[in-house]
Amino acid sequence: MRLAAIASALATLLCVAVFGAILFGKRSVSEQSSAPVLAGPVERQASVTAATVATAVQASAATRAPMVIAQASPPPSPWPAFSPPPCSNPNALGIARVVEIDTTGGPGFGFEHFKSHDFLREGEVVLTFDDGPWPKNTQAVLAALAAHCTKAIFFPIGLHATYEPSILKQVAAAGHAIGSHTWCHQDLSKTKGRCNVNGKVQTVEYDPKDEIEMGISAVHWAVGGPTAPYFRFPALRQPPELIEYLAKRNIAMFSTDMDSFDFKMRKPEQVRQSVMDKLKKHGKGIVLMHDFQHATAEAAMDLLNDLKAGGYKVVFMQPKFAVPTIAAYDEKVLKQVKSPGGGDARPTSTVVRTISE
């Protein structure tokens, strides 16, 4: 009996000791994992524990976050420094002023919709062109801008960019800012519309955010380099929830001060008169035109001559940062532009390079 009692007491003491050791160990690990990470040497086990916990927290946050926001996280890269173009034309319109635009938080420009940033002086204009790139028309606009040694902002359609990437590369090489104008020029206040794909009109259903991001990725693919965090809504229809979305993406939104309505015109003289009459009325502003339109292409050189003769001055809006694309949409664009034969979709300049002539 006495031996049994002694044995039972020893077993109880042993269990208490083991249980206490387990509790102490758990508490020690918990304290290590919750302690702040300090600058300087720490115990190896504490470092490993903290790193493991941090990794787990990051993985958990990434799982909870919406896909678009999680993939939109890459930091933007700084925009290349502006260099004024060489100019041999003594009567060129030129560039009177370059302004740098910090697009953090998605500022809006163009007083038709946005009233916050009145930065233009009397007689100053910002030239903008939508809906390109398009053969001959975009190139005629580029030639006029080059002859006058001046710069503009282009808002190309993503689908057009995949048709004519070489033209968009010419726009970039000339030093113009290139924003985006959706994938297929859809009304972003709706989710159903029509898209002209290779000459065939199709009825399409779409998510407006997909339209925005596909356009950004397509333009970036076509340029093969940095593009501006600038966006213009088709038909200037701007749902509040998408304004909020672009603000989170740090993309500036462009409306207009003067819409030329050149898409309604067939004669270059009409385009010139429309722009000059509105400038005379407003005195300054962001001008909306379309390099997709043939009348605008034909009017471009004479219009710039008119601006010079009228004493107007061009302001170039250079972005502070390039826009980061989202990987999932980059992949969607690559699937769209790959040839039926399975060739890759890299720009030709990255595949073929002249090494001697």
Side-chain angles (χ1 to χ4, degrees), residues 175-225:
H176 303 289
I178 302 175
S180 60
H181 196 42
T182 71
W183 168 251
C184 194
H185 206 268
Q186 298 299 324
D187 181 344
L188 298 187
S189 65
K190 302 177 180 179
T191 58
K192 189 174 182 178
R194 292 163 71 81
C195 181
N196 189 328
V197 181
N198 289 319
K200 184 179 180 181
V201 177
Q202 304 174 2
T203 299
V204 292
E205 293 186 8
Y206 52 88
D207 181 325
K209 290 179 183 177
D210 290 348
E211 264 287 301
I212 291 171
E213 295 295 350
M214 282 280 286
I216 293 171
S217 288
V219 169
H220 184 268
W221 169 83
V223 170

Side-chain angles (χ1 to χ4, degrees), residues 14-356:
L14 181 60
C15 289
V16 169
V18 171
F19 184 72
I22 291 172
L23 283 177
F24 179 80
K26 286 186 176 179
R27 181 180 176 187
S28 177
V29 171
S30 174
E31 289 173 350
Q32 288 176 358
S33 63
S34 61
V37 178
L38 304 177
V42 293
E43 290 294 327
R44 179 177 178 83
Q45 184 178 355
S47 297
V48 171
T49 304
T52 303
V53 170
T55 301
V57 169
Q58 290 172 356
S60 175
T63 302
R64 293 193 305 270
M67 183 188 75
V68 168
I69 299 302
Q71 294 192 19
S73 58
S77 56
W79 195 259
F82 178 82
S83 351
C87 191
S88 58
N89 179 6
N91 298 313
L93 187 56
I95 302 169
R97 193 158 63 104
V98 178
V99 294
E100 183 181 78
I101 305 300
D102 183 351
T103 62
T104 303
F109 299 97
F111 267 58
E112 185 169 332
H113 292 92
F114 303 107
K115 315 295 184 184
S116 299
H117 302 294
D118 185 9
F119 68 96
L120 291 176
R121 303 164 185 165
E122 191 67 19
E124 289 186 335
V125 298
V126 176
L127 302 172
T128 70
F129 295 91
D130 289 10
D131 294 359
W134 206 250
K136 297 183 180 179
N137 295 343
T138 300
Q139 290 150 322
V141 171
L142 286 177
L145 293 169
H148 269 278
C149 308
T150 194
K151 303 294 180 198
I153 304 173
F154 287 78
F155 293 94
I157 294 171
L159 193 57
H160 290 180
T162 65
Y163 295 160
E164 300 291 345
S166 63
I167 298 178
L168 209 52
K169 286 179 173 63
Q170 292 171 33
V171 177
H176 303 289
I178 302 175
S180 60
H181 196 42
T182 71
W183 168 251
C184 194
H185 206 268
Q186 298 299 324
D187 181 344
L188 298 187
S189 65
K190 302 177 180 179
T191 58
K192 189 174 182 178
R194 292 163 71 81
C195 181
N196 189 328
V197 181
N198 289 319
K200 184 179 180 181
V201 177
Q202 304 174 2
T203 299
V204 292
E205 293 186 8
Y206 52 88
D207 181 325
K209 290 179 183 177
D210 290 348
E211 264 287 301
I212 291 171
E213 295 295 350
M214 282 280 286
I216 293 171
S217 288
V219 169
H220 184 268
W221 169 83
V223 170
T227 55
Y230 295 167
F231 180 81
R232 181 174 270 152
F233 286 88
L236 301 179
R237 292 175 183 166
Q238 306 174 150
E241 66 273 15
L242 294 181
I243 289 177
E244 183 179 351
Y245 174 77
L246 288 166
K248 291 177 180 178
R249 285 279 275 121
N250 297 319
I251 294 174
M253 290 155 278
F254 279 73
S255 178
T256 183
D257 295 310
M258 288 159 283
D259 190 341
S260 66
F261 291 103
D262 55 351
F263 59 90
K264 297 182 178 181
M265 300 168 186
R266 295 294 175 264
K267 296 180 180 179
E269 294 79 11
Q270 294 173 311
V271 178
R272 291 169 59 190
Q273 184 175 352
S274 172
V275 172
M276 297 308 295
D277 285 352
K278 290 177 180 180
L279 262 176
K280 186 176 181 180
K281 178 181 178 181
H282 293 277
K284 63 178 182 177
I286 297 171
V287 182
L288 168 56
M289 295 175 281
H290 298 80
D291 56 311
F292 177 77
Q293 297 296 328
H294 185 64
T296 302
E298 287 189 316
M301 185 69 76
D302 288 332
L303 175 59
L304 296 182
N305 291 337
D306 292 342
L307 292 173
K308 175 67 176 179
Y312 294 99
K313 298 178 179 179
V314 172
V315 172
F316 181 52
M317 298 174 69
Q318 174 180 292
K320 186 175 183 180
F321 299 105
V323 62
T325 60
I326 296 176
Y329 292 102
D330 292 340
E331 292 169 7
K332 286 184 179 181
V333 168
L334 286 177
K335 289 178 182 178
Q336 290 280 344
V337 298
K338 280 185 176 180
S339 69
D344 74 22
R346 290 176 295 162
T348 300
S349 60
T350 67
V351 178
V352 181
R353 180 173 64 92
T354 300
I355 57 174
S356 68

